[in-house]
């Protein structure tokens, strides 16, 4: 028994030393409305206690709506000039983990108005971007962090039931786990569009069968995520405030379940569902709801069936939780409350999935996106 306890202590010490040896950075985009003001904030994140230490900021960038660090951590890619009429760009930055500073490398026109989501293909040669206002998606070549001109722009003309759905509004661009398919939830058309992604082709987006999955009319699909190990996918619907569950295989989505994320029973025109993520261990799913509720809804995931059981709600400690992130170890969940101008850190109970406040809150203008990367 003593030897087992000693072995356990050594294991805990080893994990602790490994965590302390790594640097964790939190990248925050903000709707700064003025490129002379900071638009990207960079913090050191402490995976032991959830603490945050300011390191650097990036100015000369307007309204970075969404960020993604490259897989190798050397670069940071951003949707820029979002919510700027007639504009829209994508930008790249070199990131130095020793100093925590990001330096501008390149920018290109986004290929559509109001870019709101950017993702990197695992070949590290392509970026895919979703444009909300123009209802389109674009693919850009990238080399050594430098973004080239868009090689492909695909625009959509569909519409659906509500006033907010008079035209297509692509709200995210999410690659399936093997990166062979790209999914584009279209809030305006009530469709989750799908393209095959061929990283060796001059124009990577290729027709897929089926080309889209229809969602419930008036639902407004927004953000989309996959289970880390099981063949399931989850979509938060902005207008309905619902989460839809799908079985995924080879570019195809088959509906399994639809469950509320909002707390109230009163029928709303727009529940303002926002973001959705699965915990790293695949046991729990989290979804944010804005408007009158400002909550994170927590679900347990049935590992064999993918179905959700709602187990709790957590106030986000602010107004308009546009985006949130779970740290790589799954111990903390951080929420960007856009309207109340704060980022709140919660601790995750990794056994129950429930959240509790840590007391750590950052104040900054209109946080739009959070990403954590270990170095």
């Amino acid at each position: 028994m003593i030897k087992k306890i000693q072995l356990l202590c050594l294991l805990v010490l080893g994990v602790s030393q490994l965590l302390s040896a790594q640097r964790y950075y939190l990248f925050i985009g903000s709707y700064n409305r003025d490129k002379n003001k900071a638009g990207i904030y960079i913090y050191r994140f402490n995976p032991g206690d959830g603490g945050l230490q300011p390191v650097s900021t990036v100015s000369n960038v307007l309204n970075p709506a969404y960020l993604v660090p490259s897989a190798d951590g050397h670069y940071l890619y951003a949707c820029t000039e979002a919510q700027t009429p007639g504009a829209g760009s994508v930008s790249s930055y070199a990131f130095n983990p020793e100093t925590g500073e990001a330096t501008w490398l390149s920018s290109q026109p986004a290929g559509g108005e109001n870019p709101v989501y950017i993702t990197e293909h695992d070949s590290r040669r392509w970026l895919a971007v979703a444009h909300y206002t123009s209802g389109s998606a674009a693919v850009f070549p990238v080399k050594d962090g430098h973004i080239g001109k868009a090689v492909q722009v695909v625009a959509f003309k569909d519409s659906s039931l509500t006033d907010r759905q008079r035209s297509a509004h692509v709200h995210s661009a999410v690659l399936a786990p093997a990166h062979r398919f790209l999914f584009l939830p279209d809030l305006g058309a009530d469709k989750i569009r799908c393209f095959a992604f061929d990283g060796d082709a001059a124009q990577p987006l290729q027709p897929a069968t089926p080309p889209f999955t229809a969602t419930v009319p008036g639902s407004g699909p927004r953000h989309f995520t996959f289970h880390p190990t099981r063949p399931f996918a989850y979509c938060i619907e902005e207008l309905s405030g619902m989460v839809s569950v799908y079985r995924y295989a080879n570019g195809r989505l088959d509906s399994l379940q639809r469950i509320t994320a909002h707390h109230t029973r009163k029928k709303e025109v727009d529940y303002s569902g926002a973001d959705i993520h699965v915990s790293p261990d695949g046991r729990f799913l989290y979804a944010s709801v804005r408007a009158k509720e400002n909550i994170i809804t927590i679900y347990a995931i049935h590992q064999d069936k993918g179905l959700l059981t709602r187990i709790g709600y957590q106030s986000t400690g602010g107004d308009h939780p546009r985006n949130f992130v779970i740290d790589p170890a799954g111990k903390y969940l951080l929420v960007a409350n856009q309207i109340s101008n704060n980022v709140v850190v919660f601790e995750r109970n990794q056994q129950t999935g429930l959240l509790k406040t840590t007391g750590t809150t950052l104040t900054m203008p209109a946080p739009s996106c959070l990403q954590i990367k270990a170095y």
Side-chain angles (χ1 to χ4, degrees):
M1 177 62 73
I2 293 176
K3 287 185 177 180
K4 288 183 179 180
I5 294 174
Q6 290 174 335
L7 182 60
L8 180 61
C9 289
L10 287 172
L11 180 61
V12 171
L13 179 61
V15 171
S16 177
Q17 289 174 339
L18 178 62
L19 289 174
S20 63
Q22 287 185 300
R23 293 185 179 91
Y24 286 71
Y25 283 99
L26 170 67
F27 301 94
I28 307 174
S30 109
Y31 284 116
N32 57 352
R33 310 295 174 186
D34 181 351
K35 68 191 308 182
N36 294 314
K37 298 178 180 178
I40 298 174
Y41 297 77
I42 301 173
Y43 285 77
R44 281 287 298 272
F45 173 74
N46 186 328
D49 62 10
L52 293 166
Q53 177 185 355
V55 177
S56 65
T57 61
V58 178
S59 299
N60 201 34
V61 54
L62 181 63
N63 292 355
Y66 202 83
L67 313 172
V68 62
S70 62
D72 62 13
H74 294 160
Y75 308 105
L76 182 67
Y77 303 114
C79 294
T80 45
E81 296 182 292
Q83 295 189 355
T84 305
S89 57
V90 290
S91 302
S92 64
Y93 301 84
F95 181 68
N96 184 341
E98 297 299 322
T99 64
E101 294 184 345
T103 305
W104 177 84
L105 285 179
S106 66
S107 294
Q108 293 287 351
E113 190 174 351
N114 194 11
V116 290
Y117 202 102
I118 188 167
T119 191
E120 181 190 38
H121 188 258
D122 62 6
S123 67
R124 303 184 187 178
R125 297 189 290 113
W126 302 104
L127 301 173
V129 175
H131 313 120
Y132 177 83
T133 301
S134 60
S136 55
V139 179
F140 298 82
V142 62
K143 183 177 181 181
D144 298 329
H146 291 268
I147 303 173
K149 293 181 180 180
V151 299
Q152 201 170 9
V153 178
V154 184
F156 307 101
K157 302 298 182 183
D158 308 42
S159 60
S160 194
L161 290 182
T162 72
D163 286 344
R164 288 192 57 196
Q165 297 177 304
R166 294 180 178 178
S167 62
H169 296 304
V170 180
H171 217 308
S172 54
V174 180
L175 286 156
H179 283 216
R180 295 191 301 112
F181 293 92
L182 179 72
F183 287 87
L184 304 169
D186 188 336
L187 181 150
D190 286 322
K191 294 177 178 179
I192 302 174
R193 304 182 186 277
C194 179
F195 286 86
F197 198 105
D198 183 353
D200 294 324
Q203 293 192 326
L205 297 185
Q206 307 292 327
T209 303
F212 64 84
T213 298
T215 66
V216 172
S219 60
R222 178 185 169 101
H223 278 193
F224 189 73
T225 192
F226 287 90
H227 192 284
T229 59
R230 306 290 292 165
F232 307 118
Y234 304 89
C235 183
I236 179 72
E237 299 169 356
E238 179 166 341
L239 305 183
S240 69
M242 305 284 284
V243 171
S244 286
V245 181
Y246 300 92
R247 181 175 295 277
Y248 171 69
N250 198 35
R252 181 182 178 89
L253 299 173
D254 292 311
S255 179
L256 295 176
Q257 181 188 23
R258 195 160 175 259
I259 185 172
T260 59
H262 56 85
H263 187 273
T264 59
R265 293 180 181 272
K266 182 180 177 181
K267 173 63 179 173
E268 299 284 349
V269 175
D270 182 348
Y271 278 102
S272 203
D275 203 11
I276 189 165
H277 296 283
V278 179
S279 59
D281 62 9
R283 296 178 58 207
F284 301 97
L285 181 131
Y286 300 82
S288 64
V289 179
R290 300 168 294 179
K292 298 178 181 178
E293 299 199 343
N294 297 313
I295 55 172
I296 300 290
T297 305
I298 307 164
Y299 308 87
I301 301 175
H302 190 290
Q303 295 302 291
D304 292 329
K305 299 180 180 180
L307 303 180
L308 302 177
T309 301
R310 193 170 53 250
I311 59 174
Y313 303 95
Q314 174 66 52
S315 168
T316 65
D319 190 358
H320 209 75
R322 177 182 177 84
N323 183 242
F324 65 94
V325 68
I326 302 172
D327 79 286
K331 189 176 179 181
Y332 294 94
L333 184 150
L334 291 72
V335 182
N337 293 303
Q338 181 184 340
I339 292 178
S340 57
N341 303 312
N342 65 342
V343 174
V344 181
V345 182
F346 295 90
E347 184 175 1
R348 281 188 67 244
N349 184 315
Q350 296 184 67
Q351 297 305 311
T352 67
L354 300 179
L355 304 174
K356 68 176 183 180
T357 57
T358 63
T360 298
T361 300
L362 303 177
T363 300
M364 66 181 54
S368 59
C369 178
L370 307 177
Q371 297 283 3
I372 293 178
K373 178 82 174 165
Y375 290 82

